[in-house]
Amino acid sequence: MSESTKGPHIVRSYDRDLEAIQALIMKMGGLVEAAILESANSLEARDEEQAERVRKGDKAIDALEEQVNEEAARLLALRQPSAGDLRTVLTVMKISANLERVGDYAKNMAKRTGVLLQMAPIEGSSGAIRRMAKAVEIMLKDALDAYIQRDVELAQDVRLRDHEVDQMYNALFREFLTFMMEDPRNITACMHLHFIAKNIERMGDHVTSIAEQVIYLVTGELPEDERPKADRTAIDPTTAQ
Amino acid sequence: MSESTKGPHIVRSYDRDLEAIQALIMKMGGLVEAAILESANSLEARDEEQAERVRKGDKAIDALEEQVNEEAARLLALRQPSAGDLRTVLTVMKISANLERVGDYAKNMAKRTGVLLQMAPIEGSSGAIRRMAKAVEIMLKDALDAYIQRDVELAQDVRLRDHEVDQMYNALFREFLTFMMEDPRNITACMHLHFIAKNIERMGDHVTSIAEQVIYLVTGELPEDERPKADRTAIDPTTAQ
């Protein structure tokens, strides 16, 4: 290991570089949180302009992810970090990849909102979707707080809350099926709404991955217990009847 | 840079380590290709045992991804690669992450197959899904060949073929909507089939990411032209009527 040959100057440079990357992650996190809330709100408020802003705003999130990757690669190449520091850098790259995916889902949601605004609204659905989006946004906020504070307990809590998002999704899935069966004219809108619900459920999975990365970063181990899984509609046909 | 201090012995160790990691990637790729084909086949052949094998087989894929990450982290820490080598290692990690996601989608598909086998089949759907899965499997094979041979042209070709998979998905989406509107008793099965089609479409996106990583690895730049996008149902309501 080259650790012993590194003077304090090099170590400080590494820390400064890492802090700069973490600042990018926080900036990315803020944009992604806003995108989640705004895409859900644009659906509920039937606000096409807001949906359009979310769609366009995703480019800034993508650009930040690229910047994180470049800075991280530069840091790895120049500073040649020790095993522990290396883990931090790899974690940062994984977190930014997860954030980028969540941003993508928000963008997809905003795209579908554009389509849905051309159809008659399905009663009660957009409020339920907003609540689901809000739950995920708070999870994300807490996952990033857990990262900054290296707070394993908070990260564990985020993991557990993903189960509630899954339950919200399962309830919506049943509701949409009912609407569709009641009136075939609801089918197209419900398919799009269902996509949106599924997108939010997947956002929750990515936020959970971030929380798990925090646990890995602090403890050196990924959580062993399988998370109470997830989309029941995929394994239990009775939920889909 | 420590490049100048490295003797030939170190360089060879790095190459040997990298080759070992690439062998893991190829092993992973083989398992993922098989999972794609087998999950689609289990649906068409109504073979619950095969679906079960795909579901259980995903653990081996996940374990390989973890191994790739560990080996890559070890290589980064011990060999402190130069900028070019670093890019290769980071690419390998991204490819394995993409493969893991494709494996996950195959597992999800096999889960839904279990549910669908308890319902009456929807005529013609499982053949269309098998063709879509086959197209993605060939794309994956070619993307991995492009990686091994550093073949930018083949990687570009894979990217373009993703458009065909998207078109297959859009056609299926319309077909499922029609089935649901014709007979509400088809709704539940069509929702699950639609999920499966969407999963395959997303597999195509991840395979395209692998192809783009190959282009980045060889040329140093990600493709600039936006890929002809994708899921038309999200942006054009007429496709969903």
Side-chain angles (χ1 to χ4, degrees), chain A residues 20-166:
Chain A
I21 296 176
Q22 288 188 159
L24 290 174
I25 291 274
M26 289 304 119
K27 193 172 166 189
M28 230 182 136
L31 291 180
V32 172
E33 278 180 50
I36 298 171
L37 291 182
E38 284 170 16
S39 58
N41 184 68
S42 69
L43 177 66
E44 193 173 26
R46 296 184 77 80
D47 182 343
E48 167 55 24
E49 278 178 29
Q50 189 172 38
E52 173 74 13
R53 279 198 299 278
V54 174
R55 293 196 289 272
K56 287 191 173 157
D58 190 52
K59 276 207 192 343
I61 296 168
D62 290 352
L64 279 169
E65 193 215 357
E66 211 167 303
Q67 211 184 331
V68 168
N69 278 336
E70 276 167 17
E71 297 287 320
R74 206 175 57 85
L75 190 152
L76 290 177
L78 291 179
R79 309 266 176 249
Q80 306 185 333
S82 64
D85 290 342
L86 179 64
R87 190 156 76 191
T88 312
V89 178
L90 296 176
T91 303
V92 159
M93 293 173 85
K94 292 212 167 189
I95 290 177
S96 79
N98 276 301
L99 285 174
E100 190 272 332
R101 295 298 305 269
V102 175
D104 256 8
Y105 283 121
K107 182 182 72 175
N108 284 343
M109 216 171 129
K111 277 188 189 169
R112 273 182 208 281
T113 292
V115 178
L116 276 162
L117 294 189
Q118 300 170 51
M119 303 174 191
I122 302 286
E123 204 188 329
S125 60
S126 62
I129 280 173
R130 184 196 14 94
R131 284 188 292 278
M132 210 176 148
K134 181 70 193 171
V136 169
E137 186 260 342
I138 297 174
M139 277 172 65
L140 176 55
K141 195 181 164 302
D142 288 346
L144 293 174
D145 278 356
Y147 170 70
I148 290 297
Q149 295 157 26
R150 304 289 191 268
D151 184 338
V152 173
E153 211 169 311
L154 184 56
Q156 290 283 16
D157 185 56
V158 169
R159 277 184 89 223
L160 292 177
R161 269 184 280 155
D162 189 40
H163 189 47
E164 291 164 30
V165 174
D166 292 340

Side-chain angles (χ1 to χ4, degrees), chain A residues 1-2 6 59 65-66 69-70 72-74 76-78 80-83 86 90 93-94 101 105 108 111-112 115 118-119 169 173 176-177 180-181 184 187-188 190-192 194-195 198-199 202 206 216 222 226 229 231 233-237 240-241, chain B residues 1-2 6 59 65-66 69-70 72-74 76-78 80-83 86 90 93-94 101 105 108 111-112 115 118-119 169 173 176-177 180-181 184 187-188 190-192 194-195 198-199 202 206 216 222 226 229 231 233-237 240-241:
Chain A
M1 306 299 296
S2 64
K6 283 179 186 166
K59 276 207 192 343
E65 193 215 357
E66 211 167 303
N69 278 336
E70 276 167 17
R74 206 175 57 85
L76 290 177
L78 291 179
Q80 306 185 333
S82 64
L86 179 64
L90 296 176
M93 293 173 85
K94 292 212 167 189
R101 295 298 305 269
Y105 283 121
N108 284 343
K111 277 188 189 169
R112 273 182 208 281
V115 178
Q118 300 170 51
M119 303 174 191
Y169 165 75
F173 180 80
F176 293 144
L177 278 181
M180 289 194 274
M181 287 182 195
I187 286 178
T188 305
C190 281
M191 286 287 276
H192 287 295
H194 172 251
F195 256 128
K198 186 72 192 172
N199 279 350
R202 282 202 196 276
H206 283 283
Y216 174 69
L222 282 169
E226 278 270 326
K229 200 46 204 151
D231 175 355
T233 68
I235 45 178
D236 179 1
Q241 298 296 338
Chain B
M1 306 298 295
S2 62
K6 283 179 185 164
K59 277 206 192 345
E65 195 215 357
E66 210 166 304
N69 277 336
E70 277 168 17
R74 205 175 56 86
L76 290 177
L78 291 179
Q80 305 184 332
S82 64
L86 179 64
L90 296 176
M93 293 173 85
K94 291 213 165 189
R101 295 299 304 267
Y105 283 122
N108 284 344
K111 275 188 190 168
R112 272 182 208 282
V115 178
Q118 300 169 51
M119 303 173 191
Y169 164 73
F173 181 79
F176 293 143
L177 278 182
M180 288 193 274
M181 288 182 195
I187 286 177
T188 306
C190 280
M191 286 286 276
H192 287 295
H194 172 250
F195 257 128
K198 186 72 192 171
N199 279 350
R202 282 202 196 274
H206 283 283
Y216 175 70
L222 282 170
E226 276 271 326
K229 197 51 201 150
D231 175 355
T233 67
I235 46 178
D236 178 2
Q241 297 298 335

Side-chain angles (χ1 to χ4, degrees), chain B residues 18-149:
Chain B
L18 187 63
E19 266 173 34
I21 297 176
Q22 290 189 157
L24 289 174
I25 292 275
M26 290 303 120
K27 192 172 165 189
M28 230 181 137
L31 290 180
V32 172
E33 279 181 48
I36 297 171
L37 293 181
E38 283 170 17
S39 58
N41 184 68
S42 70
L43 177 66
E44 192 173 28
R46 296 185 76 80
D47 184 342
E48 168 56 25
E49 279 178 29
Q50 189 173 37
E52 173 74 15
R53 278 198 300 278
V54 174
R55 293 196 289 272
K56 288 192 174 157
D58 191 52
K59 277 206 192 345
I61 296 168
D62 290 351
L64 278 169
E65 195 215 357
E66 210 166 304
Q67 210 183 331
V68 167
N69 277 336
E70 277 168 17
E71 297 286 322
R74 205 175 56 86
L75 189 150
L76 290 177
L78 291 179
R79 308 268 175 244
Q80 305 184 332
S82 64
D85 290 341
L86 179 64
R87 190 156 75 193
T88 312
V89 177
L90 296 176
T91 302
V92 158
M93 293 173 85
K94 291 213 165 189
I95 290 177
S96 79
N98 277 299
L99 284 174
E100 191 272 334
R101 295 299 304 267
V102 175
D104 256 10
Y105 283 122
K107 183 183 73 176
N108 284 344
M109 213 170 131
K111 275 188 190 168
R112 272 182 208 282
T113 293
V115 178
L116 276 163
L117 295 187
Q118 300 169 51
M119 303 173 191
I122 303 285
E123 203 187 328
S125 61
S126 62
I129 281 173
R130 179 187 30 84
R131 283 188 293 279
M132 210 177 147
K134 181 70 192 169
V136 169
E137 185 261 341
I138 296 176
M139 277 172 65
L140 176 54
K141 194 181 164 301
D142 287 347
L144 293 173
D145 278 356
Y147 171 69
I148 290 297
Q149 294 157 26

